[in-house]
């Protein structure tokens, strides 16, 4: 069974640029969530996709967007990067039988984004 | 809105001893889920234990157990027979619609 993978591991971008982060869910999982984890803090929920549809969003501006593909891999896109976007970005997948959540989430190792 | 508070930024324990990590939360919901996740220095988060709020019985997973007090909105984690491999950041989280995490407790197990 393949776990959750993320790419790239590290990324350095310049303020104002755009970035795409990728996540491959664990086999058979239909839900993916994305989190931003600033240094020394807990993860903050960005959004969640269930069967390719966004079904939850945290307090993040529209320049944070995402996609979930039929094979349940996922992307997080961030436009107009700001210095405060520097963080570890985590994705987590789960098998949600009803779309209501509450199931164990399996996390990837994260992508460390640095904005200069 | 749900918030999660972990009041102990750092804790340490001697190997083989028992330690309890605190977590309180605020919610107006009746049905939700509670989790403890562990993030070792290699940073990949892994589930320690999960509790369904409608269940009175406290969840247990080997050396890990919780004390769930729904009325008090408290969800503490007890680690028995601490091992060096338990050294990590521990995050308490609640789930209703989506997951909300506390700021974490850094636990160090000393030999």
């Amino acid at each position: 069974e393949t776990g959750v993978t993320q790419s790239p591991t590290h990324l350095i971008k310049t303020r104002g640029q755009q970035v795409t982060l990728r996540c491959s869910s664990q086999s058979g999982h239909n839900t993916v969530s994305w989190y931003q984890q600033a240094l020394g803090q807990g993860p903050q929920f960005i959004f969640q996709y269930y069967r390719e549809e966004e079904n939850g969003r945290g307090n993040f501006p529209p320049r944070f967007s995402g996609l979930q593909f039929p094979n349940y891999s996922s992307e997080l896109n961030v436009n107009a990067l700001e210095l405060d976007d520097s963080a570890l970005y985590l994705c987590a997948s789960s098998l949600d039988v009803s779309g209501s959540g509450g199931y164990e989430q399996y996390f990837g190792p994260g992508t460390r984004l640095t904005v200069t | 809105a749900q918030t999660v508070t972990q009041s102990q930024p750092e804790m340490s324990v001697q190997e083989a001893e028992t330690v309890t990590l605190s977590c309180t939360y605020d919610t107006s919901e009746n049905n939700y889920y509670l989790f403890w996740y562990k993030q070792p220095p290699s940073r990949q988060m892994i589930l320690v234990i999960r509790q369904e709020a409608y269940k009175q019985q406290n969840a247990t997973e080997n050396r890990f157990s919780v004390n769930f007090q729904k009325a008090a909105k408290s969800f503490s984690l007890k680690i028995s027979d601490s091992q060096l491999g338990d050294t990590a950041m521990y995050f308490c989280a609640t789930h209703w619609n989506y997951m909300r995490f506390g700021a974490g407790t850094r636990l160090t197990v000393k030999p």
Side-chain angles (χ1 to χ4, degrees):
Chain A
E1 187 177 78
T2 305
V4 179
T5 59
Q6 292 186 244
S7 61
T9 304
H10 296 90
L11 201 54
I12 299 175
K13 289 287 191 178
T14 302
R15 189 171 50 184
Q17 287 187 316
Q18 179 266 344
V19 69
T20 297
L21 310 182
R22 293 179 173 83
C23 172
S24 179
S25 297
Q26 186 158 317
S27 178
H29 285 185
N30 57 11
T31 302
V32 65
S33 303
W34 284 91
Y35 298 90
Q36 180 193 68
Q37 186 177 17
L39 200 59
Q41 298 182 23
Q44 297 294 313
F45 175 73
I46 302 174
F47 46 61
Q48 177 175 289
Y49 282 80
Y50 170 69
R51 294 184 175 178
E52 302 177 57
E53 296 286 331
E54 184 181 299
N55 76 335
R57 188 175 184 91
N59 189 27
F60 280 81
R63 59 189 185 83
F64 285 79
S65 63
L67 283 172
Q68 186 185 31
F69 300 101
N71 65 356
Y72 298 134
S73 64
S74 175
E75 286 183 355
L76 163 65
N77 299 290
V78 187
N79 293 323
L81 283 167
E82 300 177 0
L83 297 179
D84 284 348
D85 295 334
S86 294
L88 181 68
Y89 288 84
L90 299 169
C91 78
S93 72
S94 59
L95 176 58
D96 189 335
V97 298
S98 62
S100 61
Y103 297 91
E104 177 181 358
Q105 295 190 2
Y106 293 78
F107 283 81
T111 293
R112 171 72 63 189
L113 173 65
T114 301
V115 182
T116 62
Chain B
Q2 289 184 323
T3 60
V4 180
T5 302
Q6 296 180 248
S7 59
Q8 307 149 314
E10 294 189 25
M11 294 191 72
S12 64
V13 63
Q14 290 295 131
E15 196 175 5
E17 294 188 344
T18 296
V19 64
T20 299
L21 309 184
S22 301
C23 174
T24 58
Y25 58 93
D26 183 24
T27 182
S28 57
E29 301 301 324
N30 191 48
N31 294 320
Y32 49 92
Y33 302 87
L34 298 151
F35 302 83
W36 278 96
Y37 275 90
K38 169 184 177 181
Q39 190 175 40
S42 66
R43 80 187 177 197
Q44 194 146 3
M45 301 261 281
I46 54 174
L47 178 69
V48 175
I49 203 162
R50 174 178 177 266
Q51 174 84 41
E52 296 164 355
Y54 66 87
K55 288 187 177 179
Q56 289 285 82
Q57 187 172 4
N58 289 324
T60 299
E61 284 290 338
N62 301 314
R63 299 183 292 108
F64 299 88
S65 61
V66 298
N67 182 4
F68 174 45
Q69 302 289 329
K70 190 172 184 179
K73 297 179 182 176
S74 170
F75 184 61
S76 61
L77 174 70
K78 186 173 82 171
I79 306 174
S80 303
D81 186 26
S82 296
Q83 300 176 0
L84 297 178
D86 295 334
T87 292
M89 284 291 290
Y90 286 81
F91 293 98
C92 176
T94 65
H95 185 285
W96 185 81
N97 277 346
Y98 61 88
M99 196 84 84
R100 296 157 179 82
F101 287 85
T105 295
R106 182 178 304 278
L107 176 68
T108 301
V109 180
K110 298 179 178 180

